[in-house]
Amino acid sequence: MAIEPVRRSFAILEALSRRPHATLAVLAGETSLPRPTVVRLLGTLVELGYATQVSRSQGYRLTDRVLALAQGIRFIDHLVDIAAPHMQRFTQDHGWPLYLGSISHRAITIRYSTAAESPLSFERTALQRRSPILSGALGRAWLAFSTEEERRAILRDLGVRYDAKLATDFARIRRDGHAFSVVTRTARLQGIAVAIHRNERVLGCISMRFTRSAMSEATAGARYGAPLTALARTIAIDVASE
């Protein structure tokens, strides 16, 4: 359930972001908030450094401090720029499509894919598709290679108890170096994923999706586990060197 003061604050921020500056009357009209409420929220935003008063006639505008709120998004774009050529070469060499994902609001969101360039792909695009954390290869790799603190926080946010079975699963993934999706017996597709990590921080995860008729998990792990791990390591090094 949304916390009302937070919702109202973001309504003001969004209204201010749509124009160079705005008066109290404009903000109150656009957000449908009472004028005294707008005044209080603006006072808080000014005190925190996210807004400033231009003048009595022009009203308020956002400050460049709001750009810091998008640091995570900018980093994802940076990661995609670095990872894309490496992923493209992998797909050219091995044929299978790759997917780069990052964690986003209780799921893994696909940020980049070589599906359109893969002769073995079963889809042309997957951008912004969301993959479940607990059952998807990307999410399982993320959890396994996260710090203990982050892992527990993610599971807590999902409402999942961190029990002995999950701890054993994650320890096995760390030992193997890669994770597989949890799929039903009749599922046609399977995924194997590795984590891009640096200094105990997971930057993103890469998965390769393949048809189960083409190979088993054991074969996929033996054949592609090491190349995928090397790919992730190269990307992590390139990110750190930028």
Side-chain angles (χ1 to χ4, degrees):
M1 183 174 64
I3 299 174
E4 191 59 24
V6 176
R7 186 195 68 77
R8 292 176 175 181
S9 297
F10 273 97
I12 296 293
L13 284 171
E14 289 172 354
L16 282 172
S17 72
R18 287 191 282 268
R19 53 183 56 79
H21 46 77
T23 63
L24 288 173
V26 169
L27 292 172
E30 186 162 320
T31 61
S32 300
L33 295 174
R35 190 183 179 100
T37 299
V38 173
V39 171
R40 288 198 305 272
L41 292 175
L42 281 170
T44 300
L45 291 173
V46 169
E47 184 177 343
L48 293 174
Y50 290 105
T52 187
Q53 185 173 18
V54 180
S55 67
R56 185 169 299 224
S57 60
Q58 291 184 313
Y60 296 78
R61 66 168 174 81
L62 295 178
T63 70
D64 58 3
R65 185 169 184 179
V66 299
L67 298 175
L69 300 175
Q71 284 180 350
I73 300 300
R74 293 203 301 275
F75 172 76
I76 290 170
D77 291 338
H78 179 60
L79 179 62
V80 169
D81 290 341
I82 290 175
H86 295 294
M87 294 171 64
Q88 290 165 4
R89 281 193 293 272
F90 184 99
T91 295
Q92 290 167 5
D93 293 341
H94 300 283
W96 295 105
L98 295 183
Y99 302 81
L100 173 63
S102 65
I103 200 161
S104 172
H105 190 56
R106 301 180 182 176
I108 298 290
T109 299
I110 303 301
R111 306 298 186 179
Y112 176 73
S113 171
T114 62
E117 305 154 39
S118 168
L120 302 175
S121 179
F122 34 83
E123 59 190 349
R124 303 322 299 166
T125 184
L127 294 183
Q128 302 306 314
R129 188 183 66 202
R130 290 167 64 79
S131 171
I133 292 177
L134 274 181
S135 59
L138 289 164
R140 289 167 65 79
W142 192 293
L143 285 169
F145 287 95
S146 293
T147 62
E148 186 75 8
E149 182 181 7
E150 182 183 8
R151 186 181 308 120
R152 289 184 178 278
I154 293 171
L155 291 173
R156 186 166 55 247
D157 189 43
L158 293 173
V160 175
R161 181 171 170 268
Y162 188 16
D163 57 17
K165 182 181 182 306
L166 280 178
T168 300
D169 287 346
F170 298 146
R172 184 182 67 251
I173 292 169
R174 288 192 298 274
R175 184 191 67 232
D176 294 343
H178 52 262
F180 287 100
S181 303
V182 177
V183 296
T184 63
R185 290 183 179 180
T186 58
R188 186 172 69 90
L189 303 174
Q190 175 60 296
I192 176 175
V194 295
I196 305 168
H197 52 95
R198 192 76 177 169
N199 298 328
E200 298 186 346
R201 177 192 173 197
V202 177
L203 309 177
C205 289
I206 290 178
S207 71
M208 183 190 86
R209 298 189 76 195
F210 57 94
T211 54
R212 297 177 74 192
S213 60
M215 62 186 133
S216 65
E217 285 187 7
T219 300
R223 188 177 298 170
Y224 297 106
L228 285 168
T229 298
L231 170 67
R233 187 180 300 117
T234 298
I235 293 170
I237 291 172
D238 284 358
V239 169
S241 65
E242 287 288 321

